[in-house]
Amino acid sequence: MTEAKPREDRTRTGVLLMVLAVAFFTCIDSSAKLLIIAGLPTLQVVFARYTGHFLVAVLLFGLRDPSAFRSHAPVKQMLRSLFLLGSTVLNFSALQFLPITVTTTIMFAGPIAITLLAIPLLGEKVGLRRIVAVCCGFAGVLVVMQPWGAEFHPAMFLSLGALVCASFYFILTRMLSDVEANATQQLWSSGIAALCLLPFVLQDWTWPTGWSWLPFVLIGCFGASGHIAATVAHRLADASILAPVVYVQIFMAAFAGWSLFDTLPTVWTLGGGLIIIASGLYIWQRERVVRGRVRRPVPAQR
């Protein structure tokens, strides 16, 4: 059966691949918003994203090694795939109504939500300082959402739902990191999503027209390329080094919003984003410190 490749120490390449992965993730959201604006149903856009991803994964992994389709932990793999699908459906639904900078910024709270979920699900211990950072991070989410102001839109709750689903997805990814190979995870996450959506999209299929064919075809390639690049990046560099790289996406999302949709991030989005990023970076730094203490050898008694 397909096995995971050994770790390598190529930090610079890993960081560059992670930046590339984040760029592909921005392309996914931008393509989805373009297709929804063009009149395609949201579920069909999600279907195109995962079907394209699955076809790329089959070409790269499945045809070369059919054993990649077999999972060591099918139940967890199924749950992981469904949470990823739920996150995508909710995120694409939110993109119908919200600027890409808003949905991206809310999703930045992922590491904060994962920190909380890791306590009951992974048995991790989280100190008081990280709990305070989590609270500050969610305060930043409130600043972005502005539930007290005229700019608030109910679709922001869809982004929060996407955030929760994505957090469970990453928790399950951690559980499977030493169980499943990258090939198996790519095939299952994309294949299950496409299979689940197939009966729904066939009932209301709408063919793309004109320029919308381009993002319709490319969105799945963006998805596969982004996830593969991120996985390889984590094999070449430590997760503690790669974690802050995802925040580069706020600049990419701002550029995509300006160039494609003629929207710029508001002061509230930028301010809340800075709070979320600062909280996420603090949590990341504390995790590095705690793990460093755990790994540090105990001096011999003399």
Side-chain angles (χ1 to χ4, degrees):
M1 185 176 290
T2 302
E3 301 295 340
K5 292 184 178 181
R7 291 289 308 275
E8 298 180 42
D9 186 13
R10 295 166 57 189
T11 301
R12 181 178 299 178
T13 304
V15 170
L16 291 175
L17 280 173
M18 196 64 197
V19 172
L20 183 63
V22 170
F24 281 130
F25 295 152
T26 305
C27 290
I28 294 173
D29 288 350
S30 300
S31 299
K33 192 170 182 67
L34 286 170
L35 290 170
I36 291 170
I37 290 174
L40 269 68
T42 301
L43 288 184
Q44 187 176 323
V45 176
V46 179
F47 177 76
R49 179 256 183 272
Y50 283 110
T51 300
H53 186 163
F54 179 69
L55 292 175
V56 172
V58 169
L59 290 174
L60 291 178
F61 307 119
L63 295 181
R64 186 176 58 185
D65 184 6
S67 68
F69 287 95
R70 295 197 297 270
S71 172
H72 292 288
V75 175
K76 288 182 180 178
Q77 195 65 260
M78 177 76 73
L79 287 173
R80 173 181 175 273
S81 303
L82 291 176
F83 276 123
L84 179 60
L85 172 60
S87 176
T88 305
V89 171
L90 291 169
N91 184 45
F92 285 10
S93 298
L95 283 169
Q96 295 181 70
F97 310 100
L98 302 175
I100 189 173
T101 48
V102 172
T103 58
T104 299
T105 304
I106 292 176
M107 292 299 287
F108 278 166
I112 299 167
I114 292 170
T115 299
L116 284 181
L117 291 174
I119 299 173
L121 297 179
L122 297 179
E124 294 185 4
K125 294 182 179 180
V126 178
L128 178 61
R129 281 182 284 188
R130 273 192 282 176
I131 291 293
V132 172
V134 166
C135 294
C136 291
F138 282 116
V141 174
L142 289 177
V143 171
V144 175
M145 294 179 62
Q146 298 181 72
W148 57 82
E151 296 297 321
F152 173 76
H153 195 290
M156 291 180 180
F157 288 118
L158 295 174
S159 286
L160 286 179
L163 166 66
V164 172
C165 288
S167 299
F168 278 108
Y169 162 78
F170 284 114
I171 288 289
L172 286 163
T173 299
R174 283 192 193 180
M175 292 179 178
L176 292 167
S177 61
D178 57 350
V179 177
E180 299 278 43
N182 176 33
T184 303
Q185 302 214 38
Q186 298 297 331
L187 288 165
W188 274 66
S189 61
S190 57
I192 289 175
L195 188 62
C196 289
L197 290 172
L198 182 61
F200 298 99
V201 299
L202 289 179
Q203 297 176 11
D204 187 28
W205 184 265
T206 302
W207 288 107
T209 58
W211 60 265
S212 59
W213 271 105
L214 184 61
F216 186 79
V217 172
L218 290 179
I219 189 171
C221 298
F222 291 144
S225 301
H227 281 271
I228 292 170
T231 302
V232 175
H234 281 80
R235 183 170 61 82
L236 301 180
D238 289 341
S240 60
I241 295 175
L242 297 176
V245 177
V246 297
Y247 295 124
V248 174
Q249 191 174 2
I250 188 62
F251 302 104
M252 297 179 179
F255 177 77
W258 168 73
S259 60
L260 296 175
F261 310 108
D262 196 26
T263 59
L264 290 172
T266 65
V267 173
W268 292 101
T269 301
L270 291 175
L274 288 174
I275 295 173
I276 294 170
I277 291 172
S279 301
L281 289 175
Y282 181 80
I283 291 171
W284 161 74
Q285 178 60 27
R286 287 300 303 167
E287 287 179 350
R288 290 188 67 187
V289 171
V290 171
R291 288 175 184 172
R293 290 173 180 170
V294 171
R295 292 175 182 173
R296 188 176 300 147
V298 179
Q301 299 295 323
R302 296 182 182 273

